[in-house]
Amino acid sequence: MALDAVTTLIKIVEQDLMEPKLLSIFDAGGMKVWLLKTIELLSAKLCFLQAFLEEGCEMKMRNRWFFEHKVAGIYDEYEIKYKLRLVYSEAKCGHLLGTLKEMVKEIEEVEERFLMIKEGIDEGVWDTYQSALELENEVIVGFHSDIETIVNCLCYSHFMRSVFTILRNSNIHKFQKYVENPVLKLQVIPLVGEGGIGKTTLAKRVYGHPTTIASFHIRAWVVLSQVPNLKEILIGLLRCISPITSEIYTLDYAQIVEQLCTSLMGKKYLIFLDDIWTIDAWDDIKGYFPDNFNGSRILVTTRCTDVAKYVSAEPYQVKYQSLENLWTLLSRKVFRQSQWVQSVDYRDMLIKLSIAKRIVFGCSGLPLEVVLIAGLLATTKESLEIWRDVEETLVRVDTNDNSERRISKILSLSYNYLPPHLKPCFHYFGVFPEDNVIPVKRLINLWVAERFVMPHENMSLEEVAKSYLHDFINRGLVQINELSIDGKVKSCKVHDRVHEVCVGQAIKGNALCIINDSHAPKASHWLSCQTSHWPITQASYGNCTLYKIFSVLCFGKDVYHSKCRLVYPCLKLLRVLDLSLVKWSRGMPSEITDLVHLRYLSLSTIGSLYELQFLKLKNLLTLIVTSWMEKCPLQLPCDVLDLPQLRHLHIDKRCSQYLPCLVKKNLQTLYWLKVASFDEKPNFGMVPNLMELGIYIEGQLAPSYLGSLVHLHLLEKLKFEVGRVERFCLPTGFPPNLKKLTLCYTYLPWKEMNTIAKLRHLEVLKLKDFAFCGPTWEPSEQGFRELKALLISRSNLEHWNASSNHFPVLERLVLRYCWELKQIPINFAEIETLKLIVLECCYSSLVTSANQISSAKSETLKGKEDCPLRVRKVGTKVELPIIESFEEEIVESSEEKVSKALKKKVSKAVKKKC
């Protein structure tokens, strides 16, 4: 059926649309060139589909449904001939061109899916808004049919949208009953199942599926949890739709609601609401999603059956996994490591295989159970005794126990076998609110400040802390949330079942007090403040015992303070004070510098901090001071870097700060150091052990101004951002062991890239916001010998004349808002290491180019074990002839809409600086 439709449509395009009479009408209206270009493009696309369908490729796919309905939705002989009659009778050329252009858009989506199928990729990985990089160590089994079913349910209206649009506009009364088809109404699809069954994992896979991405203009997701903060939920959705700043918290509730509704109005959107617990929570939020009658959808996960049935009459029940799937999951996590298989005794291996199979047989069908057990077994490979203990424990678990009790017993087992040095770190996850995304750097610096980390020979405390985190990940107790461009863990989180155990164990040991509407303040080692009001008052903590409270961390995101007392006698021994989410409007209380035992201090304020005597904080290891309003830059004392123990400093870009006069060997991280033309040359020899550095430049600098960077032999990560500068010059020398370089707003000509290519150890290069400008980039012969990840974001690059020899070990390529670039160098198919190409808001021709590279690379890998190259598209800008006589509909991501304003703003600067 699909092949017949395409063949007929080709005849119409090549015969009826090329009639001399029709061409003369378009010629008279000055639109002949546009018609011919559109016909040429449409004909090529249709021929591609015809060739692919003739090969019978669609018959091999489980999602044959996709092609039959999608192609049927594209093809409409009546619609074309109806528009042709309008051209002949009323010379309405724009109507016909609009229909043809809409067909091109629809075909490009099918074409992309065909290319993915040809490469053997019929399941996607979850593309988060923050990162389109895949979690390579994530093992998912048993959800393939569920994913396909839910994706089809979500996206069916996408296939039929053009058909119903035609019917609505045609005024043909016999089709009127279909015009208000319920398929196009806003629908809610709840996924229901008990905790640990895999609802969120399944929903994320659906959310990031290529068909889902292609079907919706806007996708946004947010976690609700047991005690939802409605304002924070709405802000979380807005954060997915378009970039926001912390100033959004200054808006009142009604303004935020209006902003969200405006963003969704008229758009086809998918909203993913993860973990709804109550009917009231759904009632509170459902009214903010407009019914645009265009196939928009809301995807919900809940463990409460009554909530699911209230939301929809037909909730989707997530099923328990089969024994076969559970065994696959466990064996991949435990036995996949060939090094272990080769190192163990064969008889021992057989015994453990037998034990593992009996363990799986004793599981209830929840993937979370298997993940936790697999994590424990994988980290205790050498101990047959522990394996037998796990088996016996599961045998003793009553099969009639509910899932909460079963998982609690398994978690207790995992906790009991944690090494002693990891237990306080595990408890500390309870400090963070449920479902909280935890930045890895923040977590590590907190662990170090809390003195959880034991020194290790030839490793820094931060490196040891990272090894602790990876141990938790390997045990299945911590989940990876986001990866950086070089594949390292950027943020993490813990499952709510695991979080319950963290909280319970910490409270049991009197280490943790959670202050919220359910828990009254009391003295404990760690205070986790999760309220919207300031909890440290005379009534609550004025008379507490000394030596009791070591840490105060505030997580209320809507807390404002202008003046209050902070320090009471019981807080005198504080090690950690994290007020990063509390918005102070008049500097900070001066007594904060009396907390001389502080090792970690994080503040968010506006105004001047000149009066604060930071140098009194002799034990401070981490200092983070930021402004919560971009228009109100901070004013800090310029001698903060003289703190003797300081290891990490994070301040706003526009804060003036001078390098110390004496050598500071402890300092590892410095963001940001503002460098102005009227300042003295910075002497980086004073901070010889820096590993990360961000430099913000104001004023014209000579190339030699930053020459002392060459003294930073340990520096691995360097960022440059330029403010008010006519022209930026690369420094005459770079740190010799630099691995990561980021440039932003530097407006350099591409020929300067040859200097960067000389960095022998460079692995990651990020070029943001016209870091380089000009139409052509021709890399030097020496190329980038060690570069593994390359990001180009917002560039006017048109021609990239490169080969695989220039990037011999490239693994990841990310292109964002590259509006002028039409093609990735085809020779990139020869880069053996290339694993992933991410395209965000680029033209479809660039997507086609990437797919061609992926296809060519797949041919060369046939019969090999190498992973195929994956192409991830996040939003597409469709390039078609622009016709003023009708309103063109462009499918684009919300980020691109924001970027249009930026593009206009910087275009003049690009022309001037290039």
Side-chain angles (χ1 to χ4, degrees):
M1 183 180 76
L3 179 60
D4 293 339
V6 172
T7 303
T8 303
L9 192 54
I10 289 175
K11 292 179 180 178
I12 293 175
V13 171
E14 294 182 349
Q15 295 177 13
D16 293 9
L17 298 183
M18 295 301 291
E19 283 285 335
K21 182 179 179 181
L22 180 69
L23 295 177
S24 64
I25 295 175
F26 272 82
D27 194 19
M31 303 173 72
K32 180 179 178 180
V33 174
W34 288 329
L35 176 65
L36 291 176
K37 285 185 177 180
T38 306
I39 290 174
E40 180 183 4
L41 183 59
L42 181 57
S43 179
K45 298 290 184 186
L46 288 169
C47 289
F48 172 88
L49 291 188
Q50 185 184 45
F52 203 96
L53 290 168
E54 285 175 348
E55 291 178 7
C57 292
E58 84 276 23
M59 301 303 294
K60 301 175 186 177
M61 302 308 300
R62 292 173 299 169
N63 50 5
R64 182 188 312 167
W65 182 93
F66 173 91
F67 302 105
E68 293 296 335
H69 287 80
K70 185 63 177 174
V71 174
I74 296 170
Y75 167 71
D76 195 304
E77 181 180 357
Y78 166 81
E79 173 66 9
I80 295 179
K81 291 187 175 180
Y82 171 72
K83 295 293 175 65
L84 275 171
R85 287 198 297 271
L86 286 178
V87 173
Y88 287 125
S89 62
E90 304 177 32
K92 291 187 176 180
C93 303
H95 288 69
L96 177 60
L97 277 172
T99 299
L100 300 180
K101 289 176 66 178
E102 184 67 30
M103 287 181 177
V104 170
K105 294 178 193 177
E106 300 283 346
I107 292 172
E108 283 182 336
E109 292 168 3
V110 179
E111 180 183 42
E112 179 185 354
R113 183 63 177 269
F114 276 149
L115 286 170
M116 293 180 66
I117 290 166
K118 191 173 182 181
E119 298 155 25
I121 305 171
D122 66 336
E123 297 293 349
V125 294
W126 174 39
D127 293 332
T128 68
Y129 169 76
Q130 294 85 358
S131 172
L133 301 176
E134 58 189 299
L135 303 182
E136 295 175 351
N137 67 336
E138 189 177 30
V139 179
I140 303 295
V141 297
F143 282 134
H144 297 299
S145 61
D146 299 275
I147 292 170
E148 188 168 333
T149 299
I150 299 169
V151 167
N152 290 341
C153 185
L154 283 174
C155 305
Y156 176 76
S157 62
H158 177 63
F159 310 142
M160 302 302 293
R161 178 184 56 174
S162 57
V163 175
F164 287 114
T165 301
I166 291 169
L167 293 174
R168 275 203 304 273
N169 295 337
S170 64
N171 294 321
I172 301 176
H173 297 294
K174 66 179 181 178
F175 291 122
Q176 191 63 37
K177 63 180 180 179
Y178 299 109
V179 173
E180 301 300 324
N181 192 288
V183 169
L184 295 181
K185 291 182 178 179
L186 177 64
Q187 294 182 11
V188 185
I189 301 174
L191 310 184
V192 61
E194 57 185 296
I197 204 169
K199 301 181 298 297
T200 299
T201 299
L202 173 58
K204 286 177 179 178
R205 285 294 174 120
V206 169
Y207 182 87
H209 194 279
T211 304
T212 306
I213 295 172
S215 299
F216 296 94
H217 303 162
I218 290 175
R219 294 177 306 135
W221 75 285
V222 71
V223 180
L224 274 70
S225 298
Q226 295 191 49
V227 186
N229 181 322
L230 193 54
K231 182 176 180 180
E232 190 59 38
I233 290 169
L234 300 180
I235 292 175
L237 293 173
L238 280 171
R239 186 178 289 111
C240 295
I241 296 170
S242 60
I244 62 174
T245 66
S246 58
E247 294 184 22
I248 194 169
Y249 289 96
T250 63
L251 303 179
D252 61 34
Y253 182 76
Q255 290 173 311
I256 294 174
V257 169
E258 181 182 4
Q259 192 168 330
L260 177 64
C261 292
T262 301
S263 299
L264 298 178
M265 193 66 67
K267 295 293 183 181
K268 185 180 179 186
Y269 60 81
L270 170 64
I271 302 295
F272 169 24
L273 303 176
D274 190 18
D275 205 14
I276 292 184
W277 283 78
T278 65
I279 291 173
D280 289 341
W282 169 248
D283 285 338
D284 288 341
I285 197 172
K286 67 179 181 180
Y288 302 127
F289 305 124
D291 190 347
N292 297 325
F293 203 77
N294 59 1
S296 294
R297 296 288 183 262
I298 300 175
L299 186 63
V300 169
T301 63
T302 180
R303 65 178 65 175
C304 307
T305 304
D306 58 333
V307 174
K309 290 182 178 179
Y310 180 81
V311 169
S312 172
E314 298 181 356
Y316 189 91
Q317 182 70 48
V318 181
K319 304 176 184 64
Y320 292 102
Q321 292 297 322
S322 65
L323 287 176
E324 180 182 1
N325 288 335
L326 294 178
W327 171 249
T328 301
L329 182 59
L330 183 136
S331 59
R332 285 185 185 178
K333 285 183 171 289
V334 178
F335 299 110
R336 66 179 175 179
Q337 299 176 7
S338 58
Q339 293 177 349
W340 177 53
V341 173
Q342 294 171 5
S343 65
V344 298
D345 177 78
Y346 182 70
R347 181 175 176 276
D348 187 66
M349 180 73 168
L350 290 178
I351 293 174
K352 289 181 177 178
L353 279 170
S354 178
I355 292 174
K357 288 182 178 180
R358 291 196 294 272
I359 287 173
V360 169
F361 188 78
C363 290
S364 65
L366 294 179
L368 180 60
E369 284 187 26
V370 176
V371 168
L372 293 171
I373 293 170
L376 176 57
L377 298 181
T379 51
T380 57
K381 304 181 184 76
E382 295 79 12
S383 176
L384 186 59
E385 180 183 348
I386 294 179
W387 283 53
R388 285 176 172 153
D389 187 22
V390 173
E391 181 189 8
E392 291 175 5
T393 301
L394 286 177
V395 169
R396 291 195 300 268
V397 173
D398 190 344
T399 55
N400 294 322
D401 277 355
N402 60 32
S403 62
E404 289 191 20
R405 292 189 64 185
R406 290 179 58 85
I407 290 179
S408 293
K409 291 178 180 179
I410 295 169
L411 280 169
S412 296
L413 198 64
S414 298
Y415 175 77
N416 291 337
Y417 281 113
L418 276 178
H421 65 273
L422 289 183
K423 287 189 176 180
C425 297
F426 180 72
H427 297 161
Y428 207 73
F429 284 108
V431 170
F432 299 92
E434 179 188 354
D435 294 315
N436 192 254
V437 173
I438 308 170
V440 167
K441 288 184 178 180
R442 180 187 186 192
L443 178 67
I444 286 172
N445 290 339
L446 284 169
W447 280 352
V448 171
E450 297 281 7
R451 293 199 175 105
F452 296 157
V453 183
M454 301 172 62
H456 191 279
E457 188 178 359
N458 298 325
M459 293 178 69
S460 68
L461 293 175
E462 288 76 11
E463 289 171 331
V464 176
K466 287 179 184 178
S467 71
Y468 290 3
L469 177 61
H470 284 285
D471 199 339
F472 282 122
I473 293 172
N474 292 335
R475 292 172 182 271
L477 295 172
V478 173
Q479 302 170 343
I480 298 174
N481 180 72
E482 185 183 356
L483 296 177
S484 61
I485 190 174
D486 56 347
K488 295 184 178 179
V489 183
K490 189 174 182 178
S491 63
C492 62
K493 61 189 302 186
V494 295
H495 192 279
D496 53 6
R497 289 286 179 85
V498 179
H499 186 264
E500 291 171 7
V501 176
C502 298
V503 171
Q505 290 289 342
I507 292 177
K508 181 180 178 182
N510 199 30
L512 171 65
C513 173
I514 297 175
I515 305 173
N516 56 27
D517 296 335
S518 304
H519 299 82
K522 71 173 186 176
S524 296
H525 292 331
W526 312 322
L527 303 184
S528 177
C529 308
Q530 302 175 21
T531 65
S532 57
H533 61 273
W534 181 245
I536 310 296
T537 63
Q538 177 67 36
S540 59
Y541 287 102
N543 299 315
C544 283
T545 308
L546 195 60
Y547 310 118
K548 198 75 173 179
I549 301 173
F550 297 146
S551 307
V552 175
L553 299 93
C554 293
F555 296 96
K557 294 186 180 180
D558 207 9
V559 182
Y560 293 86
H561 280 288
S562 58
K563 188 176 181 180
C564 73
R565 186 180 177 191
L566 178 65
V567 179
Y568 295 100
C570 64
L571 303 180
K572 288 289 186 179
L573 297 181
L574 274 185
R575 297 173 187 164
V576 170
L577 182 59
D578 190 336
L579 305 177
S580 56
L581 296 179
V582 180
K583 300 165 184 64
W584 301 83
S585 58
R586 295 180 185 175
M588 289 296 298
S590 59
E591 68 264 25
I592 203 169
T593 55
D594 294 330
L595 302 172
V596 294
H597 297 280
L598 275 181
R599 294 161 59 85
Y600 182 105
L601 175 61
S602 183
L603 310 171
S604 179
T605 184
I606 54 176
S608 174
L609 297 178
Y610 280 142
E611 301 301 322
L612 282 183
Q613 299 177 18
F614 282 101
L615 294 184
K616 292 171 64 177
L617 303 175
K618 303 293 185 181
N619 294 296
L620 204 60
L621 303 180
T622 299
L623 176 60
I624 304 170
V625 187
T626 58
S627 170
W628 52 271
M629 289 185 67
E630 287 188 4
K631 298 177 182 178
C632 300
L634 288 178
Q635 299 171 4
L636 280 174
C638 295
D639 56 356
V640 171
L641 286 172
D642 288 325
L643 285 164
Q645 303 296 325
L646 194 64
R647 300 169 75 90
H648 309 283
L649 177 65
H650 294 255
I651 57 176
D652 281 349
K653 295 183 179 75
R654 293 175 176 82
C655 285
S656 295
Q657 197 60 226
Y658 297 124
L659 292 177
C661 299
L662 300 176
V663 175
K664 301 295 180 183
K665 294 184 177 181
N666 292 318
L667 194 66
Q668 297 180 18
T669 308
L670 175 53
Y671 294 109
W672 288 80
L673 179 68
K674 188 177 84 168
V675 177
S677 55
F678 50 81
D679 293 334
E680 293 184 7
K681 289 184 180 181
N683 181 7
F684 292 104
M686 296 294 102
V687 284
N689 295 326
L690 265 184
M691 300 182 70
E692 297 186 26
L693 172 63
I695 298 178
Y696 181 78
I697 297 174
E698 283 193 347
Q700 194 71 31
L701 302 181
S704 61
Y705 198 86
L706 300 173
S708 63
L709 282 170
V710 296
H711 299 306
L712 298 176
H713 293 276
L714 299 182
L715 195 76
E716 294 185 352
K717 189 172 183 179
L718 177 61
K719 296 182 180 181
F720 284 109
E721 184 166 331
V722 172
R724 293 170 289 185
V725 178
E726 285 297 318
R727 181 172 178 79
F728 170 75
C729 297
L730 288 174
T732 52
F734 281 88
N737 295 302
L738 193 64
K739 292 184 178 180
K740 301 178 184 179
L741 176 62
T742 301
L743 300 172
C744 185
Y745 293 119
T746 49
Y747 296 97
L748 290 163
W750 286 105
K751 64 181 181 180
E752 293 290 332
M753 190 62 78
N754 296 338
T755 301
I756 296 175
K758 295 177 183 177
L759 301 175
R760 293 181 299 169
H761 303 288
L762 191 65
E763 296 179 0
V764 178
L765 178 59
K766 298 181 182 181
L767 308 177
K768 298 181 177 181
D769 298 310
F770 296 95
F772 283 78
C773 59
T776 305
W777 178 18
E778 296 187 5
S780 62
E781 290 185 6
Q782 65 186 19
F784 296 80
R785 312 318 299 175
E786 299 296 327
L787 196 68
K788 296 179 181 179
L790 173 62
L791 178 146
I792 305 176
S793 177
R794 295 189 176 90
S795 168
N796 63 341
L797 179 64
E798 297 180 29
H799 308 289
W800 189 4
N801 303 325
S803 71
S804 57
N805 294 330
H806 294 116
F807 302 92
V809 296
L810 191 68
E811 296 178 1
R812 292 178 172 90
L813 173 64
V814 181
L815 302 175
R816 293 173 175 160
Y817 310 106
C818 294
W819 290 296
E820 310 301 330
L821 188 63
K822 303 299 190 298
Q823 185 177 7
I824 300 171
I826 189 65
N827 288 335
F828 277 22
E830 300 172 9
I831 303 177
E832 295 182 0
T833 55
L834 192 59
K835 299 177 182 177
L836 180 67
I837 297 177
V838 178
L839 304 175
E840 183 174 352
C841 298
C842 300
Y843 280 120
S844 55
S845 59
L846 197 62
V847 178
T848 302
S849 168
N851 286 327
Q852 289 172 347
I853 291 171
S854 178
S855 180
K857 192 169 188 292
S858 297
E859 289 294 322
T860 64
L861 291 177
K862 280 186 176 179
K864 299 182 181 180
E865 295 182 358
D866 301 56
C867 295
L869 169 63
R870 297 181 181 272
V871 176
R872 296 287 167 253
K873 182 197 71 172
V874 186
T876 304
K877 185 177 178 68
V878 181
E879 180 184 31
L880 289 170
I882 299 174
I883 303 171
E884 296 178 357
S885 59
F886 71 100
E887 184 177 353
E888 178 180 357
E889 178 183 339
I890 297 179
V891 178
E892 59 186 0
S893 77
S894 57
E895 291 94 338
E896 182 179 0
K897 293 187 293 182
V898 175
S899 300
K900 283 182 177 179
L902 176 62
K903 185 179 179 183
K904 292 178 181 179
K905 181 178 179 181
V906 302
S907 60
K908 293 182 179 180
V910 172
K911 293 177 182 178
K912 180 179 179 181
K913 293 179 181 285
C914 294

